[in-house]
Amino acid sequence: ATEQVIAQVAEGDEADVQLAVEAARKAFDTGDWPKMDARDRGMLLFRLADLIEKNIDEIAALETLDNGKPISDSRNVDLPLVIDCYRYYAGWADKNHGKTIPIRGNYHCYTRHEPLGVAGQIIPWNFPLLMQAWKWAPALAAGCTSVLKTAEQTPLSALRIGELAMEAGFPKGVVNIISGFGPTAGAALVKHPGVDKIAFTGHFETAQIIMKEAAKTIKRVTFELGGKSPNVIFADADLDAAVEGAYIGLYLNQGQCCCAGSRVFVEESIHDEFIEKMIAMAKDRKLGDPFDPSTEQGPQVDKDQFDKIMSFIQKGKDQGATCAMGGERAADNGYYIQPTLFTDVSDDMSIATDEIFGPVMSVLKFKDYNEAIERANSTFYGLAAAVWTRDVKKAHSFAAAVRAGTIWVNCYDVFDAAAPFGGYKMSGI
């Protein structure tokens, strides 16, 4: 927001990863954690959720200070989802049921679900607290121990949650947090033979490196890697609702969402009206001090991200798209970018193929249902998609035909701890 340094954070490296893994390994192999009554593990997660709720204003302020997102989003969007996630998985802790299986002969065969071991977890900077919750809550509920590496851009809120975990009473060594960079701390975590599984959220190119390194020790991996999600609006849709949904689906969190609806396909007959309504809505979007409760859009997370987004905006202009709104820096100080909208976008332009991770919407015309399906699928990503229509048959056939993990129908960015989240193709495992 100001381009000023707010804190100094110790940089963890291979030596620190070694200590953290040793602590997590000891807590798992010889400690009480995996042998603890599952309901008691759940109670610790409930207690952590209660402490986060008790300190919600402080933690929301820390998230806004660290990430730049508006305080209203940190306090009223991110933190409620964080608390809900911990409570949801706390309830699952004692519900890992096995099976009895009839087999031939005079034998008794059964399966049991056992914790995997030490989970190495690497999170991104766009939703730091929520990504920590998504990594910690299921692993801890299962009885695993964790070594979590924060994003170098946003280490602060995770460290505060670590303090609250200690206050909640998690045993020594169960949760470990490393602040550091990917090539050093992240790489050491992936390579460590004492780590049983790597869970990573971030860019697919990093995941490719992790997957290759994890193969050497046959680690299990899960990846959530972003997308170029199609948001398809048919002429029979409630247009005002679709405009509002597309607005949230792209501009939320300064456009820094892995599932952002960054390719908005609009049926030809309503295209111009959609553009008119979207510009009218987005031009009133309030940018400013992220600690002002009325601010709707804060700065991008750092200068690198700011420069990357501005370079994509320039590519859009150079490749022949029409910048119908925004496209410029929005303030003399701070990494603010105007809400931006491109029309006359073709499928082969960089702004239509690459994940920008910023407030840049690309609007593409289409003629009919079959064209919409084909073009929606013409991406190597497959994280999310949305369809806007009053025709329920069309909605369900679209959901079946589009290769994406989450399909929203007449809505966007609806999240719940009980709903799976993941995708096809380069969007992850």
Side-chain angles (χ1 to χ4, degrees):
T2 67
E3 302 181 47
Q4 301 300 309
V5 173
I6 60 170
Q8 296 287 341
V9 180
E11 179 191 347
D13 56 20
E14 186 173 359
D16 301 287
V17 170
Q18 177 67 29
L19 290 170
V21 173
E22 287 175 1
R25 193 79 257 166
K26 183 178 179 181
F28 185 81
D29 291 339
T30 63
D32 295 332
W33 183 246
K35 298 186 284 288
M36 181 185 292
D37 286 346
R39 201 160 299 171
D40 291 339
R41 282 203 306 269
M43 288 306 300
L44 285 172
L45 286 167
F46 277 122
R47 201 175 298 162
L48 177 58
D50 291 345
L51 286 169
I52 294 170
E53 189 169 54
K54 179 182 176 182
N55 295 278
I56 191 168
D57 291 327
E58 176 208 348
I59 296 168
L62 196 59
E63 191 81 329
T64 289
L65 183 69
D66 209 13
N67 169 277
K69 67 177 65 195
I71 190 68
S72 57
D73 287 356
S74 294
R75 174 63 177 79
N76 302 319
V77 179
D78 292 27
L79 263 301
L81 288 171
V82 167
I83 293 164
D84 195 47
C85 181
Y86 283 115
R87 287 177 175 156
Y88 177 80
Y89 282 101
W92 271 110
D94 62 350
K95 299 173 183 66
N96 289 317
H97 301 152
K99 299 176 181 177
T100 57
I101 304 171
I103 64 172
R104 290 187 184 277
N106 187 26
Y107 302 103
H108 175 61
C109 176
Y110 67 94
T111 63
R112 47 179 260 143
H113 291 176
E114 299 179 349
L116 185 60
V118 176
Q121 303 173 321
I122 302 172
I123 59 173
W125 47 258
N126 57 337
F127 292 91
L129 286 167
L130 190 57
M131 295 299 98
Q132 181 181 35
W134 282 18
K135 294 288 186 281
W136 267 15
L140 296 173
C144 293
T145 57
S146 166
V147 179
L148 180 137
K149 190 197 85 68
T150 61
E152 58 267 26
Q153 299 89 342
T154 53
L156 300 182
S157 55
L159 295 171
R160 182 68 180 110
I161 300 301
E163 289 183 335
L164 293 181
M166 293 166 66
E167 185 179 337
F170 280 80
K172 185 177 180 180
V174 170
V175 292
N176 306 270
I177 302 171
I178 302 286
S179 302
F181 294 92
T184 49
L189 190 59
V190 171
K191 293 174 182 176
H192 201 295
V195 174
D196 298 293
K197 184 251 176 78
I198 292 290
F200 168 76
T201 300
H203 197 273
F204 74 88
E205 290 178 344
T206 306
Q208 290 171 328
I209 296 169
I210 292 173
M211 200 170 191
K212 193 178 294 184
E213 285 296 331
K216 295 175 183 177
T217 47
I218 317 295
K219 285 180 174 60
R220 300 185 188 192
V221 294
T222 51
F223 296 138
E224 195 269 278
L225 306 175
K228 195 68 182 175
S229 300
N231 187 4
V232 179
I233 302 168
F234 287 97
D236 63 355
D238 178 335
L239 186 56
D240 288 334
V243 169
E244 185 174 350
Y247 173 84
I248 294 169
L250 189 280
Y251 295 120
L252 178 72
N253 203 45
Q254 296 67 252
Q256 297 168 155
C257 299
C258 51
C259 58
S262 51
R263 292 187 298 149
V264 182
F265 291 93
V266 183
E267 197 164 355
E268 278 185 339
S269 61
I270 59 168
H271 174 271
D272 293 350
E273 187 179 0
F274 173 88
I275 296 296
E276 183 180 318
K277 287 177 178 286
M278 179 59 72
I279 290 175
M281 178 175 284
K283 71 179 177 61
D284 294 329
R285 186 167 178 80
K286 183 179 177 183
L287 281 66
D289 177 4
F291 281 98
D292 182 342
S294 66
T295 293
E296 297 174 280
Q297 181 174 317
Q300 309 308 133
V301 71
D302 63 10
K303 187 177 188 300
D304 287 345
Q305 190 63 20
F306 173 88
D307 290 342
K308 175 189 170 188
I309 296 163
M310 293 305 297
S311 73
F312 272 112
I313 290 172
Q314 189 59 49
K315 285 179 187 177
K317 295 174 181 177
D318 293 344
Q319 292 175 359
T322 300
C323 188
M325 177 183 70
E328 302 292 339
R329 185 171 192 158
D332 292 334
N333 291 317
Y335 303 120
Y336 292 89
I337 296 176
Q338 295 173 345
T340 299
L341 185 149
F342 279 99
T343 60
D344 304 312
V345 179
S346 60
D347 294 328
D348 59 347
M349 292 179 179
S350 294
I351 57 173
T353 59
D354 297 342
E355 188 176 36
I356 299 172
F357 231 58
V360 182
M361 179 183 293
S362 297
V363 181
L364 305 93
K365 287 183 185 178
F366 72 92
K367 293 179 181 178
D368 57 36
Y369 174 84
N370 289 332
E371 180 190 341
I373 295 294
E374 181 181 351
R375 294 173 67 191
N377 282 329
S378 64
T379 172
F380 56 69
Y381 289 113
L383 187 58
V387 57
W388 299 81
T389 177
R390 289 187 171 94
D391 183 339
V392 68
K393 180 180 178 182
K394 187 189 295 181
H396 285 290
S397 63
F398 176 95
V402 172
R403 299 272 291 174
T406 298
I407 312 284
W408 286 296
V409 177
N410 294 331
C411 59
Y412 210 100
D413 278 344
V414 176
F415 300 103
D416 192 275
F421 189 81
Y424 289 89
K425 299 183 277 188
M426 299 295 269
S427 286
I429 300 172

